[in-house]
Amino acid sequence: MSALEKQLHLGRLPPRPPLPGGGGQSGSKMRMGPGRKRDFSPVLWSQYFESMEDVVVENETGKDTFRIYKSGLEGPVLLLLHGGGHSALSWAVFTSAIINRIQCRIVALDLRGHGETKVRNPEDLSAETMSKDVGNVVEALYGDLPPPIMLIGHSMGGAIAVHTAVANLVPSLLGLCMIDVVEGTAMDALNSMQNFLRSRPKTFKSLENAIEWSVKSGQIRNLESARVSMVGQVKQCEGAASPECPKAIVEGIIEEEEEEEEDEEGGGSVNKRKKEDDTETKKEHLYTWRIELSKTEKYWDGWFRGLSNLFLSCPTPKLLLLAGVDRLDKDLTIGQMQGKFQMQVLPQCGHAVHEDAPDKVAEAVATFLIRHRFTEPIGGFQCVFPAC
């Protein structure tokens, strides 16, 4: 539920850090200074991961294919589970950061209904089904002798990681990490999620447009991550005139910038520019969301209800990373005071903590693994948090 929870709790988040050069944020516009234009072009997964693989899971009713992205050759496996609506590509920048700090292997998974994973029933996003998927992928990859594995999940993926651990679907589990998912906060937000989903653009005129929207709307605050991550969130419409893809909705912040730039340049009329854009949009293949999250509502409660106690019941070492300490509910507050898990608060982040601050998340995870002697540092990395 990555983008969902982040938007729903926007009022609780710390203010955004100032832009480079000390420039503040004015209204809906984010400027980089005179003559400087930010690059919103998409970036390939291969800039961050070493390989990509489609894992086939067979059972009595047929085959499912799960897309994974991998890096690293030795050390424990960090199995990364993304939030709702996102994909394995949301872990791209984090992967580059962690792989240069400790000996580890990365496996980032597109969960069912997301990214490039193809399953027979993509609408079934129940916690039970998705946690079984994780176990099946581990078995398909490693057989009966899997290496030590740490489950790391963001938002919905964090909930699925806990359900997977509790069901003992990863027998070689050595650690568990949830990123910005807390039962109390998530349950309180359920009633507002549909309103948030309705407020998002339904389509984009290009990948660049989608990336620009994600950054300027605050869904992803790190442009580098947005350029690779948004490719996994949207897909090209089959036809620009199809019922599912009406005329592209171009976020107002983008249109406003185009108009202002035109006025500043003293160019042709704004109306003429809009007509040209409309004509160009009709020629292009539009982009829309890969998954309609609004249709998954019946599963939301099952992801999060009872999550705190499930997390606390897991016998493996546990790490909780949050964007704000106010997200802690009663059960986790008591558990944290009793030392049942390690917690790290990373301020100046939105809900997509691992995308907004990939280096800080990598440092926290690396420190956790080294502290428990699950791996060794490389490249001169030193633990930076007091817990080490």
Side-chain angles (χ1 to χ4, degrees):
M1 308 225 301
S2 50
L4 310 185
E5 287 182 6
K6 183 258 161 208
Q7 290 288 346
L8 293 169
H9 307 300
L10 195 59
R12 301 185 185 182
L13 298 179
R16 296 186 189 183
L19 293 175
Q25 181 175 308
S26 175
S28 60
K29 300 175 184 178
M30 299 171 66
R31 294 287 187 177
M32 293 297 290
R36 297 177 64 186
K37 188 173 182 180
R38 292 191 296 171
D39 185 0
F40 296 106
S41 62
V43 176
L44 292 175
W45 63 267
S46 55
Q47 298 293 312
Y48 298 94
F49 297 99
E50 294 172 5
S51 63
M52 175 269 289
E53 182 179 339
D54 287 326
V55 179
V56 177
V57 172
E58 299 186 47
N59 52 43
E60 61 277 2
T61 58
K63 297 180 180 179
D64 292 330
T65 303
F66 293 87
R67 171 65 58 85
I68 63 171
Y69 300 87
K70 302 167 69 176
S71 284
L73 298 174
E74 57 183 346
V77 171
L78 308 186
L79 182 52
L80 311 178
L81 307 179
H82 59 79
H86 285 241
S87 78
L89 297 180
S90 68
W91 299 100
V93 184
F94 165 82
T95 293
S96 290
I98 192 76
I99 213 78
N100 288 317
R101 285 170 166 81
I102 56 173
Q103 287 185 343
C104 66
R105 288 171 278 179
I106 294 294
V107 175
L109 169 66
D110 278 347
L111 294 167
R112 68 169 45 224
H114 293 76
E116 296 293 343
T117 283
K118 309 296 181 187
V119 298
R120 286 154 296 142
N121 186 11
E123 291 79 25
D124 181 5
L125 297 185
S126 66
E128 180 182 5
T129 297
M130 288 200 288
S131 58
K132 286 181 179 177
D133 287 340
V134 175
N136 289 336
V137 168
V138 169
E139 184 178 5
L141 283 172
Y142 305 113
D144 296 331
L145 295 173
I149 295 174
M150 180 175 182
L151 287 173
I152 302 177
H154 168 247
S155 195
M156 176 196 77
I160 300 308
V162 172
H163 285 282
T164 303
V166 169
N168 197 29
L169 296 171
V170 179
S172 60
L173 187 67
L174 58 75
L176 179 64
C177 174
M178 292 198 307
I179 299 180
D180 213 42
V181 54
V182 169
E183 177 186 351
T185 304
M187 295 301 295
D188 290 344
L190 291 183
N191 292 331
S192 304
M193 288 182 182
Q194 289 288 6
N195 288 334
F196 164 71
L197 292 175
R198 283 192 289 269
S199 73
R200 299 192 308 176
K202 291 180 174 60
T203 57
F204 301 95
K205 65 180 181 180
S206 64
L207 275 175
E208 288 82 359
N209 182 219
I211 293 166
E212 184 172 7
W213 174 84
S214 73
V215 174
K216 292 184 176 180
S217 68
Q219 175 176 302
I220 304 172
R221 298 184 179 186
N222 180 354
L223 176 58
E224 180 185 7
S225 186
R227 291 176 66 191
V228 61
S229 175
M230 280 301 290
V231 176
Q233 291 194 53
V234 298
K235 63 181 179 180
Q236 196 172 69
C237 294
E238 293 181 1
S242 70
E244 295 182 1
C245 298
K247 183 180 178 296
I249 298 175
V250 182
E251 189 70 7
I253 54 176
I254 298 171
E255 289 185 345
E256 287 175 7
E257 275 203 33
E258 289 177 346
E259 292 175 17
E260 184 171 322
E261 288 169 1
E262 188 132 7
D263 290 344
E264 290 172 355
E265 295 168 2
S269 72
V270 171
N271 289 335
K272 181 179 178 182
R273 173 67 173 272
K274 283 184 177 179
K275 288 179 181 178
E276 290 174 352
D277 286 348
D278 290 347
T279 302
E280 191 65 29
T281 296
K282 293 176 182 177
K283 295 178 182 178
E284 295 173 346
H285 290 289
L286 307 181
Y287 288 79
T288 189
W289 301 103
R290 287 180 181 263
I291 179 172
E292 291 188 60
L293 287 173
S294 60
K295 294 183 178 180
T296 69
E297 182 176 11
K298 63 182 178 180
Y299 300 114
W300 298 347
D301 186 89
W303 295 342
F304 302 112
R305 188 172 297 280
L307 182 63
S308 292
N309 282 323
L310 289 176
F311 177 68
L312 293 171
S313 72
C314 293
T316 57
K318 296 175 288 294
L319 174 65
L320 178 63
L321 300 179
L322 298 174
V325 70
D326 60 323
R327 284 161 159 74
L328 278 181
D329 57 24
K330 180 180 177 181
D331 291 331
L332 287 180
T333 300
I334 295 173
Q336 200 272 332
M337 293 174 65
Q338 294 173 338
K340 292 185 177 180
F341 63 92
Q342 180 182 331
M343 186 181 74
Q344 183 75 34
V345 177
L346 302 176
Q348 303 284 315
C349 294
H351 177 55
V353 181
H354 61 302
E355 295 201 62
D356 294 349
D359 286 319
K360 291 181 179 178
V361 173
E363 288 175 355
V365 172
T367 296
F368 175 84
L369 287 164
I370 294 170
R371 177 193 182 200
H372 288 281
R373 302 183 186 278
F374 292 147
T375 189
E376 298 292 332
I378 61 174
F381 172 72
Q382 295 181 346
C383 298
V384 295
F385 295 130
C388 184

